[in-house]
Each structure stands twice: as C-alpha cells, then as structure tokens.
Amino acid sequence: MSPFIARPEHGVVWITGASSGMGRALALKLAEEGYKVAVTARSHEKLLELQAEASALAGSIVVLDGDVTSAEDMEHTVAAIEYQHGPVALAVLNAGIYLPARGEDLNHEVFERSFAVNLHGVVNCLVPAVRHMRSRGYGQVALVSSVAGYGGLPGGAAYGASKAALINMAESLKFELERMGIHIQLVTPGYVDTPLTAQNKFEMPDVVSAQQAADTIAAGLKSPAFDISFPKGLVYRAKLLKFLPYSLYFRVLRYFLGSGHKHQSVGPRVTPHPAE
C-alpha cells in the first residue's frame, strides 16, 4: 500500500518552530501551494507577521501560540487545530535549539534545555498528533533532525545527541506507524543560512538558503521517501565518515576543522529558542 501523502483537501499542516528560518519559509511555501498551515511558536508577533505575509496566497496560515516543552500546551494546540480548523493531516515537528556543549565547560543546563526542546519537545507534539491520526486511519509526520545527528562534532554533545535520538526514534516508529496508515519521514538538513547561523564564527560547508531548504522539504513531503536529507554532498560525506574506524574518524574531523577546532562550535542549524 502506498504511504499517505497529505494534500490540501485532507486537512491542516501543523508546523512547529515556524516563526523564523526554515520553518517560516516552509510555512509560506505550503500556504502558497494551497495548504491551510497552522503555525506554533512562542513568538506571537512574528507569527502574526507570517500570517499577514501569507494573506494573498492560495492557502492560509493560522496562528497558535505554544511552547513545545509543555506537553499540556501541545495537547491543547492539537485539540484546538482539530476543533477549529480541521484534522491535522501533516505535522512537521521542526522546533529546535542549538546550544554549544564543550568538554571544558560541561553543565546540566545546556543538556537539559537541548533535550527539553529538541527531543521531549518533539515527543510532546508527536503523541497527540499520532493519537488523532490513528483514530482516522491516516496521517503524515515529519521529524526534523540534523546531519549533526550522524556523528559527534566539537561543541555538539547536547545538540547532536538530541538529533541522533530523533533519527533513531523515526526509524523505530516507522514499523508501527506505517501499519496505522501514518507516513513518517525524517528530515536531516545540513547548514541552513539564516540571520542566526550568520553568527557562526566558522565557514559553513555546503550552506543552503532557508528558501532552498523549504523547497527541498516541501518536495520530499510529497514523496513516499522516508529520508529527506540535504544538501546531498554534505549528507554523503557525513554518512561515509561513520563507516570509518574511530581512529580515522577523529583524524579526518581534526583535519577538516583545522587547528582551531577546540574553539569552534559546529552545529548545523542555530535556533535560539523554540518560539523563534
């Protein structure tokens, strides 16, 4: 049986972390294609600006404030979408943060906050979304991870670990969700150029614009593919690295990062806040 692929007539697309960067660009892209898009974040004003920008598009954007770190908030958000706007046909769980975690300055807060948003924040959205989809017998879910989840990078102990967990989660859930008619996909972007990643103090390889990222994701969401990863060159290199023995893996990373790697933080996508 072919996997379910959400179309505008099936219901609402729900995007978390939609007030800036890749999530914002994707919301506009799908609204342009005629979808009704529900957007969630804690930056209310930015969401209202996004809604206004979409007013002339074929579809529409509806605003729902919410904090993905609150399971109660996300239960209410999904219920509000279902009751007021229609069934959640597609959930793109995109909210995330990047906080450097360096060995010389380890602390609980960085790990707790990273996991609260990047991992538990996804679970808080996934549970109610899947419950409603299961009751209907169809749905589509996309978990936004990162190429950083493929392997350890300097400064990425918290971010990379949370994103690696999402990769494992999506792979594991595929077996059960597809039997319920729910098409699950894994989105693994590399470096996406936003005003926030412009603050990075290192050269970002194979960087793509937020619009390019949105176009790639939108195309992938319309396919039966499990993996939506980009840019391909960076993805292939990152995956190949994992086939190396650790002695070579660390040597290759040191070579490409250069002698200053101890002072660099190499997270692929910086978002300071789940609301933004």
Side-chain angles (χ1 to χ4, degrees):
M1 184 175 68
S2 299
F4 173 81
I5 296 174
R7 297 191 299 271
E9 61 267 27
H10 291 137
V12 179
V13 177
W14 178 35
I15 303 178
T16 65
S19 57
S20 68
M22 195 168 66
R24 187 181 193 280
L26 180 61
L28 288 171
K29 172 72 175 176
L30 295 180
E32 183 181 19
E33 295 177 356
Y35 290 86
K36 176 182 280 190
V37 183
V39 292
T40 299
R42 296 196 308 190
S43 295
H44 182 70
E45 292 304 319
K46 290 184 178 181
L47 292 182
L48 290 180
E49 291 171 5
L50 172 62
Q51 184 181 45
E53 187 172 341
S55 60
L57 300 179
S60 61
I61 288 179
V62 295
V63 171
L64 295 101
D65 297 338
D67 180 356
V68 297
T69 66
S70 168
E72 184 179 8
D73 260 17
M74 293 304 98
E75 287 280 355
H76 292 162
T77 295
V78 174
I81 296 171
E82 294 267 339
Y83 181 73
Q84 299 172 16
H85 304 288
V88 177
L90 166 61
V92 181
L93 307 183
N94 166 73
I97 58 172
Y98 170 70
L99 300 173
R102 298 183 178 87
E104 61 269 25
D105 187 29
L106 289 178
N107 63 83
H108 292 284
E109 183 181 359
V110 166
F111 286 90
E112 289 171 357
R113 189 174 170 210
S114 296
F115 294 165
V117 177
N118 298 346
L119 179 56
H120 298 299
V122 168
V123 173
N124 290 341
C125 301
L126 185 66
V127 170
V130 165
R131 185 190 313 119
H132 285 271
M133 291 175 182
R134 183 181 183 184
S135 70
R136 288 188 290 269
Y138 67 87
Q140 185 176 0
V141 175
L143 308 187
V144 179
S145 179
S146 167
V147 169
Y150 292 153
L153 297 168
Y159 180 82
S162 66
K163 293 301 187 177
L166 293 184
I167 294 172
N168 189 288
M169 182 190 300
E171 292 169 348
S172 300
L173 287 173
K174 185 178 189 303
F175 296 97
E176 290 84 18
L177 293 188
E178 67 182 8
R179 291 200 296 268
M180 293 186 269
I182 300 172
H183 179 31
I184 186 169
Q185 294 174 290
L186 176 67
V187 181
T188 48
Y191 292 93
V192 180
D193 185 17
T194 69
L196 297 169
T197 54
Q199 301 173 26
N200 288 344
K201 301 185 185 305
F202 56 90
E203 184 177 350
M204 297 182 289
D206 299 346
V207 65
V208 300
S209 69
Q211 187 59 57
Q212 288 173 314
D215 291 345
T216 301
I217 295 170
L221 293 172
K222 298 177 186 64
S223 79
F226 170 75
D227 182 29
I228 306 171
S229 54
F230 59 91
K232 293 303 180 184
L234 178 62
V235 169
Y236 291 148
R237 294 196 300 273
K239 287 185 175 181
L240 282 172
L241 274 174
K242 294 308 294 178
F243 288 102
L244 298 177
Y246 278 122
S247 58
L248 285 177
Y249 175 82
F250 295 126
R251 190 181 306 169
V252 169
L253 276 184
R254 288 191 182 99
Y255 173 80
F256 282 112
L257 294 174
S259 59
H261 75 274
K262 290 183 180 179
H263 305 292
Q264 295 176 345
S265 134
V266 292
R269 189 165 59 91
V270 179
T271 308
H273 199 283
E276 297 182 355

